[in-house]
């Protein structure tokens, strides 16, 4: 597969030296990195509409003049009978898979506050609504029709509650720029400072608690609450975190990835039954969906 991808890239973008590239595989993309460019190639064959959405999102992000370096588009959607892809700039910084919270808490908390304070002007390219990567406004219907029937009865009921609870808390939530997948896997460092932020496929104009929820997945609500002090922020973040695997399952439905779908629904049930649905350390929101947390 790697040789085939590099050959394909050499054909469609010969101005870059793909023969020296490194390749990483995520849930939805092969990420091919050279000194002069990064190619993001769909893992699921031609996906021009999905790549077009990702390109539009990154274009909107670029117009916001974020307070940190980030990739910028280098191409339009490259689409052939074999693959769909886009090229972006390579950004500086070092990977740190999961640094100790005490060493990065202030830096990440400050960056989140700066990001969430951004309010796009009406004249700028619009950011998409929340969860556009996994269905957007159709996400609840995808969960209801295509995810809940594949869950055991107890976790299906819990999933329905989680989905409805997320929609409920968003109605009165503040709105700002949201990265959408704000975790150590998408941060590049220079010493203890964030040098670059990558992977804006989930970015949106929505509830800032979505980004806090992503940090909770890595560090737990108890730790993250030290930098997320706004009233109600952690409560909403716990609710969003409970729905992350339902979002992944819906996205798997959209691209037709059965293995990823089984992983996502299995993960939801495991978290529900182990008491880690909202928080890896077992915290729950005070009240969920007008009643007790699931």
């Amino acid at each position: 597969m790697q040789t085939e991808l590099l050959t394909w890239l050499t054909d469609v973008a010969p101005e870059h030296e793909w023969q020296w590239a490194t390749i990483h595989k995520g849930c939805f993309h092969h990420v091919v990195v050279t000194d002069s460019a990064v190619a993001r190639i769909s893992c699921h064959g031609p996906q021009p509409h999905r790549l077009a959405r990702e390109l539009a999102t990154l274009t909107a992000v670029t117009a916001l003049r974020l307070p940190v370096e980030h990739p910028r588009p280098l191409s339009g959607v490259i689409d052939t009978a074999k693959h769909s892809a886009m090229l972006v700039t390579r950004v500086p910084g070092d990977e740190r898979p999961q640094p100790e919270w005490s060493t990065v808490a202030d830096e990440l908390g400050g960056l989140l506050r700066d990001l969430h304070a951004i309010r796009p002007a009406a004249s700028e390219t619009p950011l998409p609504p929340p969860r556009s990567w996994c269905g957007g406004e159709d996400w609840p219907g995808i969960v209801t029709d295509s995810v809940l029937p594949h869950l055991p009865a107890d976790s299906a009921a819990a999933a329905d509650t989680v989905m409805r609870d997320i929609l409920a808390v968003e109605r009165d939530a503040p709105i700002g720029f949201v990265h959408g997948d704000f975790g150590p896997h998408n941060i590049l460092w220079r010493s203890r400072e964030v040098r670059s932020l990558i992977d804006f496929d989930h970015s949106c104009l929505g509830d800032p608690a979505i980004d806090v929820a992503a940090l909770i997945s890595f560090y737990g609500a108890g730790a993250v609450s030290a930098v997320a002090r706004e009233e109600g922020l952690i409560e909403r973040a716990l609710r969003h975190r409970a729905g992350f695997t339902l979002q992944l399952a819906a996205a798997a439905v959209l691209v037709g990835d059965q293995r990823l779908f089984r992983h996502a629904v299995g993960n939801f049930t495991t978290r529900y039954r182990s008491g880690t649905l909202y928080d890896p350390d077992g915290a729950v929101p005070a009240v969920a969906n007008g009643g007790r947390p699931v």
Side-chain angles (χ1 to χ4, degrees):
M1 171 60 77
Q2 292 191 0
T3 300
E4 190 274 330
L5 290 176
L6 297 181
T7 300
W8 181 80
L9 283 168
T10 300
D11 289 339
V12 299
E15 64 274 23
H16 303 286
E17 295 182 332
W18 301 110
Q19 68 270 28
W20 309 115
T22 58
I23 303 178
H24 311 276
K25 186 179 184 301
C27 290
F28 299 99
H29 302 89
H30 300 284
V31 180
V32 187
V33 182
T34 72
D35 288 338
S36 58
V38 176
R40 295 168 55 80
I41 307 172
S42 169
C43 290
H44 300 99
Q47 294 274 330
H49 297 297
R50 191 173 188 88
L51 267 293
R53 182 195 62 75
E54 293 167 0
L55 176 60
T57 300
L58 187 58
T59 300
V61 168
T62 300
L64 296 178
R65 297 171 293 279
L66 300 188
V68 65
E69 186 58 79
H70 60 86
R72 291 167 168 78
L74 279 177
S75 74
V77 174
I78 302 169
D79 186 57
T80 72
K82 289 185 176 180
H83 300 291
S84 298
M86 60 182 287
L87 306 184
V88 302
T89 57
R90 183 173 178 175
V91 292
D94 302 316
E95 295 181 4
R96 296 174 63 187
Q98 189 167 343
E100 290 292 327
W101 176 248
S102 61
T103 68
V104 298
D106 291 342
E107 179 75 2
L108 295 184
L111 178 56
L112 277 183
R113 286 189 290 273
D114 290 343
L115 292 175
H116 296 160
I118 294 172
R119 298 293 185 270
S123 60
E124 292 175 329
T125 304
L127 287 162
R131 294 175 296 278
S132 292
W133 66 280
C134 59
E137 293 182 354
D138 294 331
W139 175 68
I142 297 171
V143 171
T144 299
D145 297 338
S146 300
V147 180
L148 299 188
H150 294 272
L151 289 166
D154 59 339
S155 52
D160 185 66
T161 296
V162 164
M163 176 191 70
R164 295 177 186 279
D165 202 33
I166 289 170
L167 300 177
V169 299
E170 283 184 330
R171 294 190 191 111
D172 298 320
I175 299 298
F177 169 74
V178 174
H179 176 271
D181 195 11
F182 190 86
H185 57 303
N186 284 326
I187 295 171
L188 301 179
W189 299 86
R190 180 178 58 194
S191 185
R192 292 192 177 185
E193 294 182 353
V194 174
R195 185 67 180 89
S196 300
L197 194 58
I198 61 175
D199 194 352
F200 290 83
D201 294 344
H202 299 184
S203 294
C204 65
L205 192 62
D207 182 1
I210 295 170
D211 283 341
V212 177
L215 275 186
I216 286 174
S217 286
F218 288 94
Y219 294 107
V224 175
S225 63
V227 300
R229 301 186 183 94
E230 295 90 337
E231 183 177 359
L233 186 57
I234 287 291
E235 289 288 301
R236 299 196 316 276
L238 289 170
R239 293 166 166 85
H240 283 295
R241 198 265 176 175
F244 281 171
T245 50
L246 298 178
Q247 295 174 32
L248 184 61
V253 170
L254 293 175
V255 298
D257 190 329
Q258 287 297 315
R259 179 180 295 182
L260 183 61
F261 179 81
R262 290 192 296 271
H263 167 76
V265 297
N267 202 350
F268 182 90
T269 297
T270 297
R271 290 181 179 183
Y272 168 64
R273 292 177 175 174
S274 66
T276 60
L277 188 58
Y278 295 98
D279 171 39
D281 295 329
V284 296
V287 176
N289 203 31
R292 296 180 60 83
V294 296

